[in-house]
């Protein structure tokens, strides 16, 4: 600060000045932030374009979903395209079907479906979408619908598949995110929450509308009048069918993916799995007796033994690898008993969810005299404590 003064006793004398330094504070700029300034300035135009794009799409079709930007885990707004990148699945999955690529893709889709999903009630955030990276989704073993779809899409890209994320709606699940893969002569729609794959013209596909697509390079909004999967033209290069966020020659962003170069997986503790299995069995047997306060609960060891051998085969074989040995044992059992029951499979979240699922079967409510029961529990471990839980509860009534 420069301060000028004049001698009050000598008006003819010239004034003099001196400099005073007052400390007001300091500002520290991280070097990484300075390096990112060019990126921020490059993306400013893209964010403006994204905002205009979203408003334009919503004006044309207010009920259709569109996403161009979201917030990452650090609260920074970024393009959805930056979430898409080829990522490695667990090696454990790649080693199961070494000579069957289709079976490997099905298994990878199943793995993604076993990651618990954030309930819709917890995922409502007033239109401000917050998406985690695929690595974070794996490490926390939880994710929303979009994070599941992004993870599955990234796994498919690892195999060189042409894959995009689809935003739409489902009759069963409300707002959903699917994965679209382009095959030689058809399009496939993958539900990341169930692991199921549907052909485009499958009448049983629960996807009700196809509203928006995105990959690592662009976002496309569906402007076709009929947006049901069977009616949609998925050739997003046609501007009469799809409105794209970025023109083909747009050079406004060089932003890299926020995904890591690769995902590092950790092995699930096998002893923990055995302890959890035993705890679930004990809890369910106690609950069975609570649910039958006026009737005795008897357990059939022979049937339990058979079910224990069947469940591990169901995990990877989806029922097609039940050997003739178990079939023969079951047939002998059916000579003496009328058997009612079925297996339940679900991702592991907590024991109470398993209790609720078993209770809803109603198998415990059998009132036939001399009814016996069989219970088997199997947990198949995947990396990062992602677990597939199987419970087989059956009731056995002796033939008269």
């Amino acid at each position: 600060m420069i301060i000028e003064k004049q001698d009050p006793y000598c008006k003819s004398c010239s004034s003099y000045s001196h400099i005073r330094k007052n400390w007001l504070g300091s500002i520290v700029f991280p070097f990484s932030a300075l390096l990112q300034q060019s990126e921020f300035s490059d993306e400013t135009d893209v964010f403006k374009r994204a905002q205009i794009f979203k408003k334009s799409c919503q004006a044309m079709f207010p009920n259709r979903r569109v996403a161009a930007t979201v917030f990452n885990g650090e609260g920074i707004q970024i393009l959805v395209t930056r979430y898409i990148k080829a990522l490695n699945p667990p090696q454990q999955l790649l080693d199961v079907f070494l000579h069957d690529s289709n079976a490997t893709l099905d298994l990878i889709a199943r793995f993604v479906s076993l990651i618990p999903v954030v309930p819709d009630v917890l995922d409502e955030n007033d239109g401000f979408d917050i998406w985690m990276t695929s690595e974070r989704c794996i490490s926390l073993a939880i994710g929303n619908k979009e994070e599941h779809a992004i993870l599955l899409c990234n796994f498919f890209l690892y195999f060189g598949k042409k894959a995009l994320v689809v935003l739409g709606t489902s009759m069963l699940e409300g707002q959903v995110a699917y994965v679209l893969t382009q095959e030689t002569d058809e399009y496939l729609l993958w539900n990341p929450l169930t692991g199921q794959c549907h052909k485009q013209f499958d009448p049983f596909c629960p996807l009700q509308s196809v509203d928006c697509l995105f990959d690592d390079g662009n976002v496309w909004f569906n402007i076709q009048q009929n947006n049901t999967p069977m009616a949609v033209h998925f050739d997003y290069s046609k501007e009469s069918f799809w409105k794209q966020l970025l023109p083909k020659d747009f050079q406004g962003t060089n932003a890299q993916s926020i995904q890591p170069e690769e995902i590092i997986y950790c092995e699930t503790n096998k002893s923990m799995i055995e302890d959890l299995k035993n705890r679930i069995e004990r809890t369910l047997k106690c609950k069975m007796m609570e649910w039958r306060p006026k009737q005795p609960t008897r357990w059939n060891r022979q049937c339990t033994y058979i079910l224990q051998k069947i469940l591990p085969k169901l995990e990877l074989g989806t029922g097609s690898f039940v050997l003739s040995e178990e079939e023969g044992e079951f047939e002998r059992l059916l000579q003496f008993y009328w058997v009612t029951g079925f297996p339940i499979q679900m991702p592991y979240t907590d024991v109470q969810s398993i209790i609720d699922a078993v209770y809803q079967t109603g198998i415990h409510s059998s009132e036939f005299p001399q009814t016996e029961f069989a219970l088997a529990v199997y947990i198949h471990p995947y990396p990062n404590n992602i677990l597939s839980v199987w419970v087989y509860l059956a009731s056995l009534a002796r033939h008269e």
Side-chain angles (χ1 to χ4, degrees):
M1 178 184 296
I2 300 176
I3 301 176
E4 293 189 359
K5 285 189 176 183
Q6 187 177 28
D7 190 341
Y9 301 104
C10 181
K11 294 183 179 182
S12 61
C13 296
S14 60
S15 62
Y16 64 94
S17 63
H18 67 272
I19 298 176
R20 178 188 296 173
K21 295 181 179 180
N22 294 330
W23 185 82
L24 300 177
S26 63
I27 299 176
V28 178
F29 290 96
F31 185 66
S32 60
L34 294 175
L35 292 178
Q36 293 175 354
Q37 289 305 305
S38 60
E39 178 181 326
F40 290 156
S41 60
D42 287 343
E43 287 198 8
T44 301
D45 292 339
V46 177
F47 289 148
K48 290 180 180 178
R49 177 182 287 270
Q51 186 177 16
I52 296 172
F53 172 79
K54 187 172 183 178
K55 289 182 178 179
S56 174
C57 294
Q58 291 174 336
M60 288 188 290
F61 295 97
N63 295 325
R64 295 187 184 181
R65 299 182 62 198
V66 58
T69 63
V70 294
F71 291 93
N72 65 8
E74 299 175 354
I76 300 174
Q77 187 180 22
I78 62 174
L79 290 174
V80 295
T81 56
R82 294 183 63 189
Y83 282 86
I84 306 301
K85 178 185 177 182
L87 289 174
N88 58 302
Q91 188 63 40
Q92 173 185 332
L93 305 186
L94 304 180
D95 294 338
V96 176
F97 303 106
L98 293 175
H99 306 292
D100 191 341
S101 59
N102 290 332
T104 299
L105 293 176
D106 290 338
L107 181 58
I108 288 172
R110 174 167 180 73
F111 169 70
V112 173
S113 73
L114 292 172
I115 301 174
V117 63
V118 177
D120 284 337
V121 176
L122 299 180
D123 195 32
E124 293 177 355
N125 37 41
D126 299 327
F128 293 97
D129 291 324
I130 302 174
W131 295 356
M132 296 186 295
T133 64
S134 295
E135 182 181 42
R136 192 70 172 157
C137 181
I138 289 286
S139 64
L140 295 179
I142 195 169
N144 62 26
K145 296 174 181 178
E146 291 79 14
E147 289 158 354
H148 277 74
I150 289 169
L151 177 62
L152 183 59
C153 181
N154 291 341
F155 283 162
F156 284 168
L157 291 175
Y158 178 83
F159 289 93
K161 304 284 287 184
K162 180 63 177 176
L164 302 93
V165 174
V166 178
L167 300 182
T169 56
S170 165
M171 297 180 64
L172 303 177
E173 303 166 290
Q175 293 189 349
V176 292
Y178 274 52
V179 176
L180 177 74
T181 58
Q182 184 177 352
E183 308 301 327
T184 305
D185 56 352
E186 63 182 351
Y187 290 96
L188 300 180
L189 293 160
W190 299 77
N191 185 342
L193 301 188
T194 65
Q196 294 180 330
C197 174
H198 301 272
K199 294 183 179 181
Q200 179 185 358
F201 300 104
D202 182 356
F204 298 103
C205 178
L207 186 64
Q208 191 175 14
S209 72
V210 175
D211 300 336
C212 182
L213 304 174
F214 66 89
D215 62 9
D216 62 341
N218 216 334
V219 180
W220 294 269
F221 180 72
N222 184 5
I223 56 176
Q224 300 166 65
Q225 289 299 322
N226 191 339
N227 64 344
T228 59
M230 287 192 287
V232 167
H233 294 276
F234 282 110
D235 186 358
Y236 45 85
S237 66
K238 297 187 179 301
E239 296 183 0
S240 59
F241 295 150
W242 297 90
K243 179 181 176 63
Q244 60 185 12
L245 169 63
L246 304 175
K248 296 177 182 178
D249 57 348
F250 188 78
Q251 302 293 330
T253 176
N254 297 314
Q256 295 181 345
S257 171
I258 65 168
Q259 304 287 6
E261 287 300 316
E262 65 173 341
I263 297 179
I264 306 299
Y265 298 92
C266 60
E267 187 176 355
T268 298
N269 189 317
K270 298 294 178 60
S271 62
M272 179 269 290
I273 298 301
E274 186 65 24
D275 292 342
L276 179 60
K277 169 185 169 295
N278 294 333
R279 182 158 64 95
I280 292 173
E281 283 184 348
R282 290 194 303 268
T283 302
L284 289 177
K285 286 185 176 180
C286 291
K287 287 295 180 180
M288 284 287 291
M289 290 185 285
E290 288 182 18
W291 298 335
R292 298 169 51 82
K294 298 180 180 180
Q295 299 157 315
T297 303
R298 304 179 183 87
W299 298 100
N300 187 298
R301 294 185 179 180
Q302 182 185 5
C303 186
T304 297
Y305 175 74
I306 297 172
L307 298 182
Q308 287 173 342
K309 292 198 295 183
I310 289 176
L311 287 184
K313 298 181 175 68
L314 295 179
E315 173 61 31
L316 296 180
T318 61
S320 60
F321 295 105
V322 178
L323 301 180
S324 57
E325 179 184 355
E326 284 81 15
E327 291 179 352
E329 292 179 0
F330 239 129
E331 289 177 358
R332 288 191 293 272
L333 194 67
L334 292 175
Q335 294 177 0
F336 304 98
Y337 294 94
W338 178 268
V339 181
T340 304
F342 50 86
I344 300 172
Q345 188 278 325
M346 57 192 302
Y348 178 74
T349 53
D350 52 56
V351 176
Q352 186 59 48
S353 298
I354 300 172
I355 295 172
D356 295 341
V358 172
Y359 181 81
Q360 290 171 6
T361 66
I363 293 178
H364 64 277
S365 59
S366 174
E367 296 181 355
F368 286 105
Q370 306 301 316
T371 298
E372 300 176 36
F373 294 93
L375 173 68
V377 176
Y378 172 71
I379 301 177
H380 190 87
Y382 289 92
N384 288 67
N385 296 319
I386 295 171
L387 311 177
S388 175
V389 178
W390 288 86
V391 178
Y392 207 136
L393 179 64
S395 65
L396 301 87
R398 278 192 172 274
H399 296 313
E400 295 295 337

